[in-house]
Amino acid sequence: MNINITSAKYNQYLGENCSLTVVTEDGRIMRVPIDTDNTDYQAVQAWVAAGNTIAEAD
Amino acid sequence: MSSIKLKGSTSGDVTITVPAVAGTNTVTIPAASGNLPLSNLDHVTNRPNAQPLIINGDMQITQRSTSTTGITGTGLDVQDRFSRVMGGAGTWTQSSDTDVPTGQGFTKSMKWDCTATASVVAGSLFTIRYIFEGQDLQLLKYGTSNAEKVTLAFWIKSPVTGTHIASLYQFDDNRQVSKAYTVSSADTWQKVVLDFPADTTGVIDNDNGAGMGIELCFRAGSNYTSGTLNTSWASYTAANQFVGQVDACASTANNIYLTGVQLEVGEYDATTIPPFQHESFGDNLTRCERYYRQSYSIGTKAGTATQLGSTMVYIPAVGNTLRYTLHHYGMRATPTFAEYNPETGTAGIGAYEGSGDTNSEAISTTFGNEHSTLLYNTAMGFTGSFYWQYILSAEI
């Protein structure tokens, strides 16, 4: 779906990146899986391709 | 019209009548003994698909919301499975409505109410869109010499008369075809039946990604109208997609209604199109949940402050790890998870009982697949009940 991303950050489970916390312009906070079939993850990939960076996990 | 009369051995007779049709027609009787199910003949439809290809074509399911105001852009807000492409088309309220064509068995329609207009610019576009998974359209045999024609049918109540455009877009090979139809009377329910050619060239990938999309247009700027309407499958050219489309977005008096959307394999007209396949509410909802589901009641917007439907776990001690598995069998892909505070509706956090119910704590990570999602937090900062509302989205 159409989302306007303001930030994205990796989440980890057992030391591995497993999802992203994505914040959108309209205030949504989503846990987006690292799954190329997920359309929100596809939007994150496009956001990165546009020059943005996913922050590393804490 | 010709007839053959077969007389009974003692009395009575049976007449077989050939209708007045052009061309040579063949009816093959199977090599089997038995009685024809005459009482059911009016209801026999030779569909290659067991269920309707289009999910929620009768607009029954509105998980996310029953009405959303202030819509100006692309998204999906009310009727499940039906999204929109919108830009430069003004501001709209989308809702579920009971205005339906009489006597068709429909009880809900999709309503669009224009609340503010915007001038048409080159990139203006408003289409209602439905996207199929590629693996659900393999029966069309696209990319082969046996590719099937399809027929799109729907009930529309448009605020403007004249030419409207429906389009099919094939994602994997970036191919497209359009079909024009005429709305003859404004603000009047009209059944539209449109047959589309088979695509013997483009191949729809056999996967869970976007295979083909249907788009019903209500505004298109010159970027989409400056060419020649593309009525045969061809590589996508935007300028050829919606040529001739009238503007249904020019007045705040405009309302658009849609229901009874069906896609049939084969070529039909208004007389021969099979009847709409009505599904039970439960079956319809289950099919929609492959793409989206939520803990909220059906029609309650995410972010609503309500405990109804929320999930709750007990955290025995400060510093305990949260591990909770949400089961959501058979979603299209690993879904996006979003949590909301049941007390305040705030996004990105849950609530816990403490000194009042407005305390919050976030689920720090998720880990899942199409069947389940593990919610995880290394060390919870409190003891007591932790609860949250959620949505899961694997929309296409």
Side-chain angles (χ1 to χ4, degrees):
Chain A
M1 300 311 293
N2 193 47
I3 57 172
N4 294 315
I5 298 167
T6 57
S7 69
K9 182 178 181 179
Y10 283 110
N11 302 316
Q12 289 196 332
Y13 179 66
L14 303 180
E16 299 286 338
N17 289 334
C18 58
S19 63
L20 304 163
T21 296
V22 173
V23 180
T24 65
E25 285 182 359
D26 58 0
R28 285 182 289 168
I29 302 172
M30 307 183 294
R31 318 293 175 179
V32 177
I34 301 173
D35 178 355
T36 55
D37 290 333
N38 180 291
T39 52
D40 294 323
Y41 185 65
Q42 292 168 7
V44 172
Q45 290 179 306
W47 180 75
V48 170
N52 298 288
T53 303
I54 303 171
E56 294 300 321
D58 293 330
Chain B
M1 187 178 297
S2 301
S3 298
I4 300 173
K5 182 175 286 186
L6 304 175
K7 288 192 170 295
S9 58
T10 55
S11 63
D13 55 59
V14 173
T15 300
I16 300 172
T17 301
V18 179
V21 293
T24 301
N25 302 282
T26 301
V27 176
T28 302
I29 299 174
S33 299
N35 298 317
L36 291 172
L38 287 176
S39 61
N40 294 324
L41 273 183
D42 286 346
H43 307 289
V44 171
T45 300
N46 184 27
R47 286 186 169 100
N49 46 301
Q51 295 174 303
L53 289 173
I54 291 179
I55 301 168
N56 201 29
D58 59 0
M59 309 297 169
Q60 284 284 331
I61 308 300
T62 53
Q63 289 191 84
R64 297 165 176 83
S65 164
T66 55
S67 180
T68 297
T69 61
I71 295 173
T72 59
T74 298
L76 195 167
D77 283 286
V78 182
Q79 283 80 13
D80 282 58
R81 303 298 298 119
F82 285 85
S83 58
R84 63 184 178 275
V85 179
M86 183 182 284
T91 306
W92 295 77
T93 294
Q94 182 188 7
S95 62
S96 177
D97 205 272
T98 56
D99 186 341
V100 293
T102 303
Q104 303 300 319
F106 301 114
T107 60
K108 297 284 179 60
S109 64
M110 173 192 292
K111 178 184 179 184
W112 288 90
D113 178 3
C114 183
T115 57
T117 60
S119 299
V120 180
V121 296
S124 288
L125 191 63
F126 176 24
T127 67
I128 297 172
R129 182 161 73 172
Y130 184 96
I131 299 177
F132 299 90
E133 290 181 50
Q135 61 194 357
D136 291 340
L137 292 183
Q138 296 304 302
L139 75 171
L140 300 184
K141 294 167 277 188
Y142 275 16
T144 77
S145 58
N146 294 324
E148 301 276 2
K149 296 179 179 178
V150 295
T151 302
L152 174 68
F154 52 89
W155 285 90
I156 187 80
K157 187 174 176 181
S158 175
V160 291
T161 59
T163 300
H164 290 57
I165 306 295
S167 166
L168 302 183
Y169 176 77
Q170 199 262 69
F171 287 84
D172 296 309
D173 293 318
N174 193 32
R175 291 169 64 77
Q176 186 272 325
V177 63
S178 295
K179 190 92 175 187
Y181 64 96
T182 301
V183 171
S184 54
S185 182
D187 299 316
T188 304
W189 280 109
Q190 173 179 336
K191 186 173 185 178
V192 176
V193 180
L194 304 171
D195 60 277
F196 286 86
D199 187 3
T200 57
T201 302
V203 177
I204 299 174
D205 291 349
N206 183 25
D207 60 22
N208 61 351
M212 189 169 77
I214 297 168
E215 292 194 82
L216 305 180
C217 189
F218 298 96
R219 169 177 275 193
S222 60
N223 287 355
Y224 304 96
T225 61
S226 58
T228 302
L229 190 67
N230 180 34
T231 56
S232 301
W233 280 103
S235 295
Y236 177 64
T237 301
N240 297 341
Q241 190 172 13
F242 297 120
V243 180
Q245 173 67 46
V246 295
D247 186 11
C249 309
S251 168
T252 55
N254 286 3
N255 297 324
I256 300 165
Y257 297 84
L258 176 70
T259 195
V261 185
Q262 65 182 107
L263 187 75
E264 302 292 345
V265 179
E267 182 177 1
Y268 298 95
D269 58 26
T271 303
T272 59
I273 185 82
F276 185 91
Q277 285 177 280
H278 291 273
E279 293 187 285
S280 71
F281 188 91
D283 288 347
N284 201 348
L285 175 61
T286 298
R287 296 181 76 193
C288 290
E289 286 180 335
R290 176 168 171 78
Y291 304 91
Y292 178 89
R293 57 183 71 185
Q294 64 181 26
S295 58
Y296 297 98
S297 302
I298 292 173
T300 299
K301 288 182 183 177
T304 299
T306 176
Q307 292 186 28
L308 197 61
S310 65
T311 301
M312 179 179 284
V313 297
Y314 184 74
I315 308 298
V318 174
N320 278 178
T321 298
L322 170 72
R323 284 191 181 91
Y324 185 89
T325 301
L326 282 175
H327 294 281
H328 43 75
Y329 182 76
M331 294 194 77
R332 184 191 65 83
T334 309
T336 295
F337 168 87
E339 63 184 310
Y340 296 87
N341 186 321
E343 302 294 343
T344 64
T346 306
I349 55 174
Y352 68 86
E353 291 179 345
S355 53
D357 283 334
T358 58
N359 306 288
S360 62
E361 175 98 356
I363 293 166
S364 60
T365 192
T366 58
F367 182 51
N369 63 10
E370 66 270 38
H371 302 308
S372 65
T373 296
L374 173 67
L375 312 180
Y376 181 75
N377 194 325
T378 307
M380 302 297 278
F382 60 92
T383 180
S385 296
F386 178 54
Y387 53 112
W388 65 92
Q389 297 277 17
Y390 66 88
I391 66 165
L392 294 163
S393 177
E395 270 300 346
I396 198 164

